[in-house]
Amino acid sequence: MLQILKRNPLAAVIAVLLHLVILLFLVVGVDWLEKPKQPSSSVEVVQARIIDETKVREQVKRLEQDEARQAEEKRVAREKEEQRLAELKRRQVEEEQRLAELEQQRQVENRKREEARQQRLEEESRRQQAEQQRKEAEQKQQAAEAKRQAEQQARKEAEAKRVAEEKKRQEAEAKKAAEEKKRQAEEAKRKAEAEKKRKAEEARAKAAAEKKRQAEEARRQAEALQKAREAELLAAMEAEHNAREMDRYIIQISQKVIRTWLRPAGISDGLKCTLRVRLAPGGSVLAVSVIRSSGNGAFDRSAEAAVLKADPLPVPTGALFERFRDINFEFDPNKK
């Protein structure tokens, strides 16, 4: 009752005044306010006073009931608000526990991936060493084969030169025997004509050799130019193909990550961030980090979790994979 009076002092004053008025009417009566007249009966007068007092009491009672109802409504509303705040706090605690568990799981998975990566790197190093040893042995074998072929070619050339010299010597001796009688008379003339002929032959041979060398040089230059053009064309075609392949695989990676993404509670549309992902052959995720934040920590963490959940990611094979060992791409779940 005191709490009701404190919350509604005006209603309490009105109720007190009404009680005082009722008492005043009961004590003094209302006959002095009206002209004197003969009452029909004393019972009727008493009944009229009882009706007025009852109405007043009912009015007071209604006021008290309204005040009690309002107080009850406020109490119920306060209890509901306290329950709502307690539920929100409980959900917040559960979300923090879930995020902590996810972070712990991610760290465990990262350690496992790092150990697997170290093992793969060691195996790759051993393979490269074996390959290097094989190449060195092959180079030694090729060098030995080249040396053998060069020696064989030198022996052939020496033999051909010896045969040619032997043939020339025999021809010279036959000619000398046939022309022995004329040698003395025609020695000077023969030597002059032979020298002139030799020089002419040497000049023709030299000119023919130079012409052949120039033609061969021009042919080699033309072939080299053609090969260079073909190589440039192939390089341009390969670069364009690689660019298209990179765009295609980046789109596939982004789509797979978006499909595995779980929207955190309370995240609005329009957020995006840029992620850096390190990959191993086959698309295994070695590490992921945010290099340009969306401004919302929960959204950024959910993007990292989506990348880890999407492991393995689609990546090319062969030489093109080297461009996917460390990639950056924009995570935008609003893109379709």
Side-chain angles (χ1 to χ4, degrees), residues 84-114:
R84 187 182 69 81
L85 292 175
E87 179 64 19
L88 287 176
K89 186 174 182 181
R90 183 186 64 79
R91 292 181 180 178
Q92 182 180 3
V93 171
E94 291 178 353
E95 181 65 16
E96 291 176 353
Q97 292 176 351
R98 187 182 66 82
L99 291 176
E101 292 174 356
L102 287 176
E103 178 64 19
Q104 185 177 4
Q105 182 180 359
R106 184 183 67 82
Q107 292 177 357
V108 172
E109 292 177 353
N110 285 344
R111 285 197 298 271
K112 290 181 179 179
R113 292 192 183 95
E114 182 63 21

Side-chain angles (χ1 to χ4, degrees), residues 153-167:
Q153 182 66 24
R155 287 194 297 272
K156 287 181 179 179
E157 292 176 355
E159 181 66 19
K161 184 177 180 180
R162 187 189 64 78
V163 171
E165 290 177 352
E166 180 66 20
K167 184 178 180 181

Side-chain angles (χ1 to χ4, degrees), residues 78-265:
R78 184 171 59 255
E79 290 179 353
K80 289 182 178 179
E81 181 65 17
E82 291 175 353
Q83 291 176 357
R84 187 182 69 81
L85 292 175
E87 179 64 19
L88 287 176
K89 186 174 182 181
R90 183 186 64 79
R91 292 181 180 178
Q92 182 180 3
V93 171
E94 291 178 353
E95 181 65 16
E96 291 176 353
Q97 292 176 351
R98 187 182 66 82
L99 291 176
E101 292 174 356
L102 287 176
E103 178 64 19
Q104 185 177 4
Q105 182 180 359
R106 184 183 67 82
Q107 292 177 357
V108 172
E109 292 177 353
N110 285 344
R111 285 197 298 271
K112 290 181 179 179
R113 292 192 183 95
E114 182 63 21
E115 292 174 357
R117 186 183 71 84
Q118 291 295 335
Q119 185 177 0
R120 288 194 296 271
L121 290 176
E122 292 175 358
E123 293 176 356
E124 181 67 17
S125 177
R126 289 194 294 270
R127 187 190 65 77
Q128 290 178 355
Q129 290 177 357
E131 181 67 16
Q132 183 65 25
Q133 293 175 355
R134 185 189 65 78
K135 287 182 178 179
E136 290 176 356
E138 185 177 349
Q139 289 175 356
K140 290 180 181 179
Q141 184 179 0
Q142 291 176 354
E145 179 65 19
K147 183 178 179 180
R148 186 188 65 79
Q149 291 179 358
E151 292 175 351
Q152 184 178 0
Q153 182 66 24
R155 287 194 297 272
K156 287 181 179 179
E157 292 176 355
E159 181 66 19
K161 184 177 180 180
R162 187 189 64 78
V163 171
E165 290 177 352
E166 180 66 20
K167 184 178 180 181
K168 185 177 180 180
R169 186 185 63 79
Q170 292 174 359
E171 290 175 353
E173 288 179 355
K175 186 177 181 179
K176 183 178 179 181
E179 296 178 354
E180 180 63 26
K181 293 180 179 180
K182 297 181 180 180
R183 183 184 63 80
Q184 295 179 356
E186 298 179 353
E187 183 68 21
K189 184 179 179 179
R190 186 187 65 78
K191 287 182 178 181
E193 290 178 353
E195 183 66 19
K196 184 178 179 180
K197 184 178 180 181
R198 185 184 65 77
K199 290 181 178 180
E201 288 292 333
E202 287 181 354
R204 285 195 298 271
K206 186 176 181 180
E210 180 64 19
K211 186 177 180 180
K212 183 177 179 181
R213 186 190 66 77
Q214 292 178 353
E216 183 65 21
E217 182 66 21
R219 183 185 64 80
R220 285 198 300 270
Q221 291 179 356
E223 289 180 353
L225 181 60
Q226 180 65 23
K227 289 180 180 179
R229 290 176 178 174
E230 291 177 355
E232 290 178 358
L233 179 58
L234 289 175
M237 293 174 64
E238 184 178 1
E240 182 180 357
H241 173 73
N242 290 341
R244 288 197 302 268
E245 286 296 297
M246 284 193 68
D247 292 340
R248 182 169 70 87
Y249 278 102
I250 288 294
I251 291 173
Q252 291 179 2
I253 289 173
S254 178
Q255 290 176 348
K256 186 174 183 181
V257 172
I258 290 173
R259 285 196 301 270
T260 60
W261 178 62
L262 297 177
R263 179 187 292 271

